């Protein structure tokens, strides 16, 4: 088709697709950007991913795979700059992208696809400067997160909410992970329904596959005949990793004999507000008296992560807010049942192949986990259904839908608020400093 893009500029300001998911600010967004970019490249579409340079040793331009360049833009100090302080560097980041733009023809890119609101702010300017369509994926939204905060978490700032509203207004197309997220964009951000397209994320079905639980446990130095409960993700209140420890403690209170066969593994690193108490989970395990059954594991490469999923009897995803839940779909692709919070995109990710728990009452979560541990036949049936459910979420299917969004955005590109003489959120351009 004539509207097919030939070159795509992706922008991910705060985290690079080259970083290890599971720690710092690296998570599902990194996986999404990397996998969709690789799929686009397989179809002959060139992709440049712009991200912030975080070390002096990082090359300015690197290659993810042939056809996908990662361009590292200098904006602020290389290290020690938390995500919350990045809004102050958006001008520098935008200037860096504009410098790159000077070295290519004006019509070099066909579409700009931004990820997370910080990138949307930069992409808004870049798309306007280059005269191309802007597609934006929120990944998470301040107003949604603030509606579902953990008790000890910090609300997202007002400035982020305002920035998200501006990006919603400026984008030609908005990509939502699920129908629920699409409704949140419409209801909470007044996004025009015609601009919102649902594109579920995917899973690497060549890496995350079913396999032998016993072999996985031998490789990971776990008891072959024991029980393993697993949490995977960034360690922060939003993800509620403490729920895994509280469930384990309650299980052992109810059934003390289970202690000799139970292992609880937390795989991930501190992130976000979790950085304020990097050893909080270790302290909680000690307070609960379960240090002997808990293993804390640093983030691992994907092949090893798949082995952890295969080794587990159950994977818990107790997040307070989740736009989709890549951990859930990865675990299911490996044939492991998931117990997840009934929030956000998790019902879509889990489908009928797992168990959803309303709220965050440790007793209710323990009931769900205990019932499954006592019923191996049900776990086996859920595992079979999990593989079948996950098979419909390959990254190739995601990219098919994403390309359709790109075509629509290119075809229907609207005039930028900047070009129309308007500034941020409709403020006359002349008064913007």
């Amino acid at each position: 088709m004539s509207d097919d893009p030939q070159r795509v500029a992706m922008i991910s300001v705060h985290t690079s697709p080259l970083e290890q998911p599971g720690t710092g600010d690296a998570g599902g967004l990194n996986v999404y950007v990397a996998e969709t970019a690789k799929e686009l490249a397989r179809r002959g579409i060139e992709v440049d991913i712009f991200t912030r340079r975080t070390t002096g040793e990082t090359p300015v331009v690197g290659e993810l795979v042939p056809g996908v360049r990662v361009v590292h833009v200098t904006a602020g100090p290389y290290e020690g700059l938390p995500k919350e302080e990045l809004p102050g560097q958006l001008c520098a980041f935008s200037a860096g992208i504009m410098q790159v733009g000077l070295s290519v023809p004006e019509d070099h890119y066909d579409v700009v696809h931004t990820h997370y609101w910080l990138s949307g702010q930069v992409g808004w300017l870049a798309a306007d400067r280059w005269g191309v369509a802007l597609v934006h994926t929120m990944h998470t939204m301040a107003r949604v997160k603030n509606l579902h905060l953990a008790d000890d978490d910090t609300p997202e700032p007002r400035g982020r909410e305002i920035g998200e509203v501006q990006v919603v207004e400026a984008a030609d197309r908005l990509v939502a992970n699920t129908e629920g997220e699409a409704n949140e964009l419409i209801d909470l951000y007044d996004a025009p329904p015609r601009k919102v397209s649902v594109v579920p994320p995917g899973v690497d079905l060549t890496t995350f596959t079913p396999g032998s639980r016993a072999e996985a446990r031998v490789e990971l130095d776990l008891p072959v005949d024991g029980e393993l409960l697993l949490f995977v993700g960034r360690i922060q209140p939003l993800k509620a990793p403490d729920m895994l420890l509280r469930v384990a403690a309650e299980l052992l209170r109810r059934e003390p004999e289970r202690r000799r066969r139970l292992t609880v593994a937390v795989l991930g690193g501190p992130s976000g507000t979790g950085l304020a108490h990097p050893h909080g989970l270790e302290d909680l395990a000690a307070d609960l008296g379960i240090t002997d059954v808990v293993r804390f594991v640093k983030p691992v490469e994907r092949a090893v992560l798949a082995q952890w999923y295969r080794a587990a009897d159950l994977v818990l995803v107790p997040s307070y807010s989740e736009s989709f839940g890549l951990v859930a779909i990865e675990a299911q692709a490996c044939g492991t049942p998931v117990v997840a919070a009934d929030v956000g995109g998790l019902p879509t990710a889990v489908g009928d192949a797992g168990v959803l728990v309303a709220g965050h009452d440790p007793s209710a979560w323990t009931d769900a986990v205990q019932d499954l541990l006592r019923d191996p036949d049900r776990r086996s049936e859920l595992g079979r259904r999990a593989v079948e459910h996950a098979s419909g979420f390959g990254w190739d299917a995601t990219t098919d839908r994403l390309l359709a969004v790109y075509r629509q955005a290119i075809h229907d590109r609207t005039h930028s608020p900047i070009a129309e003489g308007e500034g941020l959120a409709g403020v006359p351009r002349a008064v913007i400093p």
Side-chain angles (χ1 to χ4, degrees):
M1 296 176 60
S2 60
D3 284 342
D4 281 1
Q6 297 303 305
R7 298 182 185 89
V8 175
M10 287 193 183
I11 302 178
S12 177
V13 170
H14 76 287
T15 181
S16 167
L18 301 178
E19 293 178 2
Q20 170 68 58
T23 190
D25 292 316
L29 185 155
N30 300 65
V31 176
Y32 187 108
V33 171
E35 294 302 319
T36 54
K38 289 190 287 187
E39 279 292 331
L40 289 169
R42 290 189 188 103
R43 299 160 194 239
I45 299 169
E46 296 178 16
V47 181
D48 285 349
I49 303 172
F50 295 90
T51 190
R52 198 177 77 86
R53 196 176 188 191
T54 55
T55 72
E57 294 74 34
T58 303
V60 174
V61 180
E63 185 179 72
L64 183 61
V65 296
V68 180
R69 299 193 313 163
V70 180
V71 182
H72 295 95
V73 178
T74 298
Y78 291 146
E79 299 176 356
L81 188 68
K83 183 170 64 176
E84 292 73 23
E85 296 182 18
L86 283 177
Q89 299 302 320
L90 293 184
C91 182
F93 195 98
S94 299
I97 287 187
M98 293 301 103
Q99 284 295 115
V100 173
L102 292 175
S103 65
V104 298
E106 188 170 334
D107 60 352
H108 183 74
Y109 298 111
D110 300 299
V111 65
V112 174
H113 186 177
T114 54
H115 299 269
Y116 193 67
W117 77 277
L118 294 171
S119 305
Q121 291 276 314
V122 174
W124 173 14
L125 298 174
D128 182 77
R129 170 64 180 82
W130 296 333
V132 300
L134 175 62
V135 174
H136 181 71
T137 304
M138 283 290 195
H139 292 282
T140 64
M141 292 179 277
R143 289 176 177 174
V144 175
K145 292 178 73 173
N146 287 344
L147 287 173
H148 304 283
L149 279 179
D151 291 340
D152 55 348
D153 208 355
T154 304
E156 293 296 317
R158 174 68 174 159
R160 175 179 172 181
E161 290 191 34
I162 294 171
E164 289 175 344
V165 170
Q166 294 164 350
V167 173
V168 166
E169 180 183 348
D172 295 287
R173 290 280 167 172
L174 297 161
V175 175
N177 289 330
T178 64
E179 291 288 350
E181 186 179 358
N183 291 333
E184 288 166 343
L185 280 165
I186 294 165
D187 295 340
L188 299 179
Y189 289 86
D190 293 324
R194 63 173 179 78
K195 286 174 54 170
V196 182
S197 300
V198 177
V199 180
V203 60
D204 181 352
L205 295 172
T206 62
T207 299
F208 298 102
T209 60
S212 167
R213 176 170 291 129
E215 290 178 7
R217 289 182 174 183
V218 168
E219 181 177 323
L220 298 171
D221 194 26
L222 294 164
V224 173
D225 58 351
E227 295 173 337
L228 174 63
L229 303 180
L230 177 65
F231 170 91
V232 174
R234 288 171 288 158
I235 309 303
Q236 56 177 277
L238 175 71
K239 301 292 185 180
D242 63 293
M243 185 62 66
L244 183 69
L245 305 188
R246 298 183 192 281
V247 166
E250 179 60 16
L251 274 175
L252 296 181
R253 187 193 68 79
R254 297 179 185 183
E255 302 178 69
E257 71 280 2
R258 180 163 254 130
R259 186 179 291 269
R260 62 181 175 81
R261 63 183 186 274
L262 180 66
T263 300
V264 177
V266 178
L267 198 162
S271 173
T273 53
L275 291 168
H277 304 285
H279 302 292
L281 283 186
E282 289 93 332
D283 295 340
L284 178 61
D287 291 343
L288 294 171
I290 59 171
T291 301
D292 56 314
V293 302
V294 180
R295 284 183 58 171
F296 293 100
V297 183
K298 293 181 180 180
V300 295
E301 62 181 19
R302 292 197 299 173
V304 179
L305 175 59
Q307 285 291 66
W308 275 100
Y309 287 137
R310 295 180 191 118
D313 291 283
L314 298 171
V315 172
L316 274 63
V317 187
S319 306
Y320 283 88
S321 176
E322 200 73 66
S323 62
F324 182 68
L326 286 178
V327 165
I329 204 73
E330 289 173 350
Q332 292 187 135
C334 292
T336 300
V338 169
V339 181
D342 190 4
V343 299
L346 283 170
T348 300
V350 172
D352 65 352
V355 174
L356 296 172
V357 181
H360 288 79
D361 178 4
S363 180
W365 277 79
T366 305
D367 290 343
V369 169
Q370 187 175 41
D371 288 346
L372 287 172
L373 290 178
R374 288 174 172 175
D375 193 342
D377 290 340
R378 187 179 177 212
R379 291 205 311 276
S380 295
E381 172 60 18
L382 286 176
R384 183 192 64 76
R385 282 157 49 184
V387 174
E388 182 179 351
H389 176 69
S391 68
F393 288 88
W395 285 112
D396 56 342
T398 298
T399 306
D400 285 342
R401 297 185 179 98
L402 203 54
L403 272 172
V405 175
Y406 290 170
R407 295 185 196 110
Q408 292 165 347
I410 292 169
H411 184 269
D412 299 335
R413 179 174 174 258
T414 60
H415 293 292
S416 163
I418 296 177
E420 294 173 355
E422 292 182 357
L424 306 183
V427 177
R429 189 180 182 189
V431 303
I432 299 176

